[in-house]
Amino acid sequence: MAIDSGHTRGGLRRPDRRPSPVRRNVQRAPVSPAPAPGAVRTQPVVDPALAAQVEDAVRGSTPFTRAPVRIAAPDMRAGAGRTSRHRARWAWEGRYLRTLLAVDFVIGLLAGLVAFEARFSNDLTRYTSRYVLLSILLPVAFTASLAANRAYEKRHLFVGTDEYQRVLRAGLALTAATVFIAYASEIRIARVWFFVALPLVTFGCLLARFLLRKLLHRARKLRGACMRRVVVVGHELAVEAMARQLRRERYHGLKVVGACLPAPGTVADVPVLGAFDEIAAAVRKARADTVLVLSCPELDGHALRRLAWHLERDDIDLIVASTLIDVAGSRTTIRPVDGLPMLHVEHPTLTGARRLVKALVDRAGAVLLLMLFSPLLALLALAVRADSAGPVLFRQVRVGKDGHEFVIYKFRTMHIDAEARLAELRHLNEVDGALFKLRNDPRVTRVGRLLRKFSLDELPQLLNVIGGSMSLVGPRPPLPEEVAVYPDDARRRLAVRPGMTGLWQVSGRSDLSWDEAVRLDLQYVENWSLSLDLVILLRTLSAVTRGAGAY
């Protein structure tokens, strides 16, 4: 069955009340009449030249121009359109899920054994045998808590922070349930075992899931593996922009293999497989398993519903892109009003108890990190002093929350006359916007290049975090001259405290354009959460280790 492409007041032509004999067979229910006795039943025939041309276009060898040939109606039998591409996707998703279950179980078992060792030192008695049993049951209880919090559902895996949030919820839920059961049953639990086992299994599973996801993203970026084949539906410019973004951010796992436009046209590097009334056929020809619908007036609610019915028969995923920009799912709620779904958007959390908790976590974490890195800080200070003349610390005025200025501390990475030489290098700026970045800046010292490569020059900012002018995670702290030329949107970055690390640092650092850095900072401001901070801190470790985009 195909969606009509004619126009009426609603944007699409309604089916004729008296369909012509040629179209009547296409509009009937998906139950084919029984063949006559002795007749041979055949599948719909597609021009081989057309099929070969589409296949070549999907593989990128030749451009595709839609020929004036009507594609035969698709087979409406349930599951008839499921191809090997579907089976391949189900295979790697199943392997990933089984690996996740096994890793969670092993980590739970190890956490229980470590807690037992920390409390009882392998002293097996009648009393400690109960904790051996608890240690063995811990992975079962934790995986059950993860399942109850839907941490194994595929829509929460692979990308985004929702998976990590659900792991944290599972850990908190298991902790609360253990306390309640122990109190109600008047069972005393060894505090050392309790305070070692449950935090260890929670954060161990968080780290394991983070590493598994990094391996998945690496496979997608380097080998193009574990990808979904996507047909994008929309207008030319929107389709081209979406294809370019998905091509740049391959870790999302969406590979554009074709497009459907409202009218004949072309899209750069994407084969056009048909019009809006040929989406189902285009999906089959491109062997796609996902359809991404962009915002366009031709596809209203009724058309999307009919499209969903078509795709459901072949188990094709349907993604509808929202026009909301950088709004996390936790801030949106769908509430029906007289049968019409309404998307409610909550305001971001910029003040209140959650922000107070963030400030406390920031300062406590900064104190611990400062104590942990104190030997390294001393060595770096000696290296800076020995490499070039000048002070060890570099002090500079930056703009913080609500536009208040503060002094930021960093290890000095440039010669002492760097500010005086800035004017003569301004024309060599390699980035757009208000930033100044030069990959081979002659003002940077030898030790300074090493410090910048691994972001070690920013460690003294832990003093700013303890003082309350900065946060561990947040937008980049800007210079006053940058803020002076900020557009209205960019000033939104000043609604929260700047951070030592943030989304822009873990997404490319200096390799990002000005607009992209602003977009990532605004995305953080709008969708902040403690779990997002934890994810950014974990990603910071890998970004610093690689040293990419730092100069």
Side-chain angles (χ1 to χ4, degrees):
M1 182 180 292
I3 300 177
D4 258 351
S5 61
H7 297 278
T8 63
R9 181 179 57 187
L12 296 175
R13 186 174 63 192
R14 299 179 180 176
D16 299 334
R17 294 182 179 274
R18 296 180 179 180
S20 63
V22 177
R23 299 178 56 193
R24 183 174 295 125
N25 291 335
V26 179
Q27 295 179 348
R28 286 177 180 170
V31 179
S32 301
V40 179
R41 185 170 183 175
T42 61
Q43 296 292 332
V45 178
V46 180
D47 184 6
L50 176 64
Q53 189 180 6
V54 173
E55 181 67 21
D56 290 340
V58 169
R59 294 184 178 181
S61 58
T62 60
F64 174 69
T65 304
R66 184 162 58 95
V69 179
R70 184 177 180 83
I71 299 177
D75 190 353
M76 296 304 179
R77 294 175 298 172
R82 298 180 183 181
T83 65
S84 59
R85 291 291 177 181
H86 291 72
R87 291 191 292 270
R89 194 192 83 191
W90 294 333
W92 74 258
E93 287 182 350
R95 288 195 302 269
Y96 189 92
L97 188 57
R98 290 192 296 271
T99 303
L100 205 59
L101 280 166
V103 169
D104 290 341
F105 190 89
V106 170
I107 289 177
L109 187 61
L110 291 176
L113 295 178
V114 169
F116 182 86
E117 173 68 21
R119 174 60 179 86
F120 302 107
S121 302
N122 289 330
D123 185 14
L124 293 178
T125 63
R126 184 175 181 181
Y127 171 73
T128 60
S129 60
R130 295 185 301 173
Y131 288 93
V132 173
L133 180 61
L134 283 177
S135 300
I136 295 174
L137 292 179
L138 178 61
V140 178
F142 190 70
T143 52
S145 182
L146 288 171
N149 283 274
R150 301 186 295 176
Y152 294 112
E153 293 185 7
K154 294 179 181 178
R155 58 178 173 172
H156 303 309
L157 303 177
F158 313 130
V159 291
T161 61
D162 202 23
E163 176 183 2
Y164 305 115
Q165 293 175 357
R166 295 184 181 278
V167 173
L168 289 175
R169 292 175 191 171
L172 293 175
L174 183 60
T175 301
T178 304
V179 172
F180 177 78
I181 293 175
Y183 177 79
S185 305
E186 297 183 354
I187 299 176
R188 299 185 63 182
I189 298 180
R191 285 174 291 181
V192 173
W193 184 93
F194 180 81
F195 286 112
V196 170
L198 294 181
L200 187 59
V201 68
T202 302
F203 289 102
C205 285
L206 277 175
L207 181 60
R209 286 171 178 255
F210 172 77
L211 295 177
L212 280 176
R213 182 178 289 190
K214 294 299 292 184
L215 292 176
L216 174 64
H217 292 176
R218 182 178 178 85
R220 286 173 170 175
K221 290 180 180 179
L222 299 182
R223 298 186 285 108
C226 304
M227 302 286 285
R228 292 191 175 193
R229 298 173 61 85
V230 181
V231 170
V232 183
V233 179
H235 290 271
E236 295 179 24
L237 294 179
V239 170
E240 185 174 345
M242 178 58 67
R244 185 168 56 249
Q245 182 175 354
L246 293 179
R247 197 177 300 116
R248 183 176 65 250
E249 301 176 357
R250 298 183 65 182
Y251 65 89
H252 286 291
L254 301 177
K255 179 181 180 181
V256 178
V257 296
C260 289
L261 307 178
T266 58
V267 178
D269 301 324
V270 178
V272 177
L273 303 180
F276 283 178
D277 59 342
E278 299 171 309
I279 296 175
V283 168
R284 291 169 179 264
K285 298 306 174 186
R287 295 179 297 152
D289 50 43
T290 304
V291 171
L292 173 58
V293 179
L294 305 179
S295 177
C296 51
E298 290 85 357
L299 289 175
D300 58 6
H302 296 289
L304 284 176
R305 182 175 60 179
R306 291 195 294 269
L307 175 62
W309 291 343
H310 280 284
L311 302 178
E312 180 185 4
R313 298 186 180 100
D314 292 339
D315 195 27
I316 304 297
D317 291 341
L318 176 62
I319 302 175
V320 180
S322 172
T323 55
L324 291 174
I325 299 177
D326 293 331
V327 176
S330 59
R331 289 179 51 204
T332 60
T333 306
I334 297 179
R335 302 171 187 169
V337 178
D338 195 19
L340 184 65
M342 295 288 186
L343 185 64
H344 294 249
V345 182
E346 299 178 1
H347 295 299
T349 305
L350 300 178
T351 58
R354 293 177 62 193
R355 283 291 173 180
L356 178 61
V357 172
K358 174 178 171 62
L360 295 176
V361 171
D362 283 337
R363 297 189 180 187
V367 170
L368 292 176
L369 290 175
L370 194 61
M371 295 172 59
L372 178 64
F373 291 139
S374 56
L376 177 61
L377 292 172
L379 292 176
L380 294 178
L382 292 175
V384 171
R385 176 60 63 87
D387 181 58
S388 61
V392 173
L393 292 181
F394 173 71
R395 297 171 176 84
Q396 190 177 44
V397 176
R398 297 292 182 99
V399 180
K401 186 176 183 296
D402 299 328
H404 298 300
E405 296 183 352
F406 68 98
V407 177
I408 194 173
Y409 300 100
K410 301 174 67 175
F411 279 124
R412 182 176 56 83
T413 59
M414 292 185 175
H415 296 285
I416 56 176
D417 60 345
E419 293 294 330
R421 298 171 58 186
L422 177 60
E424 64 186 51
L425 299 173
R426 181 72 69 178
H427 67 284
L428 300 176
N429 190 11
E430 296 180 356
V431 298
D432 53 357
L435 291 175
F436 176 81
K437 287 289 183 179
L438 190 59
R439 189 175 298 273
N440 295 315
D441 197 328
R443 302 172 300 164
V444 180
T445 63
R446 291 177 301 174
V447 172
R449 295 190 185 280
L450 180 64
L451 296 181
R452 289 190 171 201
K453 180 177 178 61
F454 298 103
S455 299
L456 297 175
D457 59 317
E458 299 179 2
L459 287 179
Q461 294 174 22
L462 292 170
L463 299 175
N464 292 107
V465 178
I466 295 174
S469 57
M470 290 185 64
S471 175
L472 289 178
V473 182
R476 173 188 167 274
L479 294 167
E481 52 266 30
E482 296 175 13
V483 177
V485 295
Y486 267 3
D488 291 339
D489 290 347
R491 290 186 176 274
R492 180 71 168 175
R493 304 165 77 188
L494 306 178
V496 298
R497 289 188 179 92
M500 292 181 60
T501 184
L503 276 179
W504 79 275
Q505 289 96 327
V506 300
S507 302
R509 293 194 274 187
S510 297
D511 288 339
L512 297 176
S513 65
W514 163 256
D515 291 336
E516 187 68 11
V518 171
R519 186 188 70 82
L520 291 172
D521 280 343
L522 293 179
Q523 180 180 345
Y524 174 81
V525 173
E526 296 294 317
N527 304 303
W528 167 84
S529 67
L530 284 175
S531 58
L532 179 60
D533 281 2
L534 180 60
V535 172
I536 292 175
L537 289 173
L538 290 174
R539 291 180 60 184
T540 300
L541 295 177
S542 61
V544 169
T545 303
R546 294 195 312 270
Y551 52 87

